[in-house]
Amino acid sequence: MSAQQQIITIDDISAENAPTIFVAGGLSRFIDAVKEEVCGEVPDLKTKKGRDRIASLSARVSTRKASVEKPGRDYLRHIKTLPKVVEDELREFVLTMNALRDEVRKPLTDWEAADQARKDRHVDAVQAIHDFCTDLADIGAAVLLESIASVEAVQMGDHWEEFETDAARAKESTLTKLRAALTARQQYEAEQAELVRLRAEAEAQAQRDREAEIARAAAEQARLQAEQRAQAERDAAIKREADAKAVADRRELELKFAAEQSERAAAQAARDKIEAEQRAAQQKIDDERRHQQAMAQAEADRIAAVQRAEQERIDSERRQAEAAENARLAEIARANAAADEINRQAAAREADKAHKARINRAALDAFVAGGMTEECAKQAITLIAQRKIPAISITY
C-alpha cells in the first residue's frame, strides 16, 4: 500500500483518487477505520445515553457506508471497462458494512426486543384486569363476588415497573364497575326473591280462601241437609199423627155409626174440618220449604259474587305488579345500554390512543435510525402531530 493510499480517508474520496481506491481489497482499510470509530467503546445499555450512543454509532456506520458507496457508484458508472471488479468489491463492502452495522446495533436491538416483550407482558396483565368487566349483564352475584376478590388480590408494587399507574387505574376502574354491577345484581336478585315470596303468599292466601269457601259451603250444605231431614221428620210425624187420628176417627165413627145414624153428618163435617186443617198445614209446610230453598239460592249467589269480586281484585293487583316489574326491567335495560355505550366509547378512545402511540413509536424509531437523537425525534413527532410543521402530517 502506497503512502498516498495510507493518508486517504473516507472524507477524502473523490473522482480523482477513485482509481486508486476502488480496486480489489482497496476498501478494507475504510472498513477497519469505521470499526475503529464505532467499536472502540462499549456504551451502557442500562442508561438512555448509552442506548442513544449505540443508535448513533450504528447510524454512523450507515453514513460512512454511504460516503464510500456513492463515489464508488459514480466511479463505477464512469469506468465501464472495470465494472465487475468494482461491483464485486462494493458488494463485499456493502455486505460487510451491513453486517458490521447489524453487529454494532445487535445489543440495542436485543435490548429493544426484550424491553418490548417486558412491556407486552405488563400490557397483557393490565388487560387481564380490564377483562373482568367483560359482559357483566347475566353474571350472578356469587360470580361477581369471586371476580371482585380476584381483582382485589392483585398486588401493586415495583414489579409493575412503569406500568404500576396503569395497573392501579385498571384495578380501581374494574373494582368500581364490578361493585356497581354487584350492587345492581344483588338488588335484582332480592327483588326477584321478593316477587317469588309475594307470589307464594298470594297463592297460599288464595288456597286458604278456597279451602275456607269449600268448608263454608260444606257447612252450609250440611245445615241445609239437616234442616231438610228435620223438616222431613216433622212432615212424617204430622202424617203419622194425621193417620193415627184418621184411624181413630174412623174407628169411632164406625162404633157410633151403628148407634147414631144422625151423628154421621156431624162426624162427616168433623172429618172435613180435619182434612181442611191438614191441607192448610201441608200448604204451610210447602211454603216454608220453598222459602228456605229461595234463601239458600240467594246466599249461594251472594257467595259467588264475593268470589268474583275477590278474583278481580287479585287479578288487578297482579297486573299492577307486572306493570311495575316491566317498568323496572325497562329502566335497568336503559341503564345497562347507557353503561355499555360509555364503555364502548372509552374502549374506542383507548384503542385510538394505542394506535397513534404505535405509529408515533415507529416514526420515532425511523428518525433515530436516520441519525437523530431520541429527544430530537420525539420533539419532531410532537410538532408534526400538533400540525405545527407546514405541509407535513402523520397518517393514522
Side-chain angles (χ1 to χ4, degrees), residues 40-299:
E41 56 182 291
V42 182
D44 187 1
L45 281 172
K46 296 181 180 179
T47 66
K48 184 177 182 304
K49 181 178 180 181
R51 295 192 294 272
D52 290 345
R53 180 57 178 166
I54 290 178
S56 176
L57 292 174
S58 176
R60 181 181 296 179
V61 173
S62 296
T63 302
R64 291 305 195 191
K65 179 192 71 173
S67 297
V68 175
E69 185 178 12
K70 185 178 184 305
R73 296 294 181 185
D74 294 340
Y75 177 65
L76 183 60
R77 284 191 296 271
H78 179 67
I79 53 168
K80 298 295 184 177
T81 58
L82 299 174
K84 189 175 185 309
V85 174
V86 176
E87 182 61 30
D88 291 344
E89 184 66 16
L90 282 174
R91 184 184 301 109
E92 182 65 25
F93 173 79
V94 169
L95 292 175
T96 304
M97 293 295 283
N98 286 342
L100 177 60
R101 177 199 60 198
D102 295 340
E103 179 183 356
V104 171
R105 200 184 190 285
K106 187 177 185 305
L108 177 58
T109 302
D110 293 343
W111 181 91
E112 288 175 343
D115 189 60
Q116 187 60 45
R118 176 187 64 83
K119 292 178 180 178
D120 290 342
R121 288 193 298 271
H122 286 310
V123 170
D124 291 342
V126 172
Q127 184 60 43
I129 297 175
H130 285 298
D131 288 344
F132 280 97
C133 293
T134 302
D135 192 14
L136 299 177
D138 299 325
I139 298 180
V143 177
L144 288 172
L145 284 171
E146 292 178 358
S147 297
I148 290 173
S150 298
V151 176
E152 288 177 341
V154 177
Q155 298 295 323
M156 297 295 106
D158 294 340
H159 62 282
W160 284 99
E161 298 176 318
E162 73 269 26
F163 288 84
E164 183 175 4
T165 300
D166 293 341
R169 288 200 193 97
K171 179 178 179 180
E172 180 180 358
S173 173
T174 299
L175 286 175
T176 298
K177 294 177 183 177
L178 288 174
R179 287 165 180 162
L182 175 62
T183 299
R185 187 66 186 186
Q186 287 175 335
Q187 180 180 358
Y188 170 77
E189 292 180 356
E191 290 173 351
Q192 292 301 307
E194 180 65 14
L195 286 176
V196 172
R197 185 186 67 79
L198 292 175
R199 291 194 190 99
E201 289 182 356
E203 292 175 358
Q205 183 62 41
Q207 181 64 26
R208 289 194 293 270
D209 292 343
R210 287 194 295 273
E211 292 175 352
E213 178 59 27
I214 291 172
R216 191 202 62 75
E220 179 66 17
Q221 183 67 25
R223 183 185 66 79
L224 291 175
Q225 290 177 354
E227 289 181 356
Q228 291 173 356
R229 285 194 299 271
Q231 184 63 43
E233 291 176 357
R234 286 194 296 272
D235 293 343
I238 291 172
K239 187 176 185 303
R240 285 194 302 271
E241 290 176 0
D243 291 343
K245 193 173 186 306
V247 171
D249 289 343
R250 284 195 301 272
R251 187 178 298 114
E252 183 180 358
L253 288 173
E254 288 174 355
L255 292 173
K256 290 181 179 181
F257 182 79
E260 297 180 0
Q261 184 66 35
S262 59
E263 295 180 357
R264 185 175 298 170
Q268 182 64 42
R271 286 195 299 272
D272 293 339
K273 179 181 179 181
I274 291 171
E275 290 175 359
E277 290 176 351
Q278 289 176 345
R279 286 193 299 273
Q282 184 63 42
Q283 182 65 35
K284 182 179 180 181
I285 291 170
D286 293 338
D287 291 342
E288 183 178 357
R289 183 167 56 251
R290 285 192 293 272
H291 175 70
Q292 290 176 349
Q293 290 175 348
M295 290 294 291
Q297 183 61 42
E299 180 64 15

Side-chain angles (χ1 to χ4, degrees), residues 317-329:
E317 292 178 351
R318 177 180 57 76
R319 287 192 295 272
Q320 291 176 357
E322 290 176 349
E325 175 62 10
N326 291 335
R328 187 189 67 79
L329 292 176

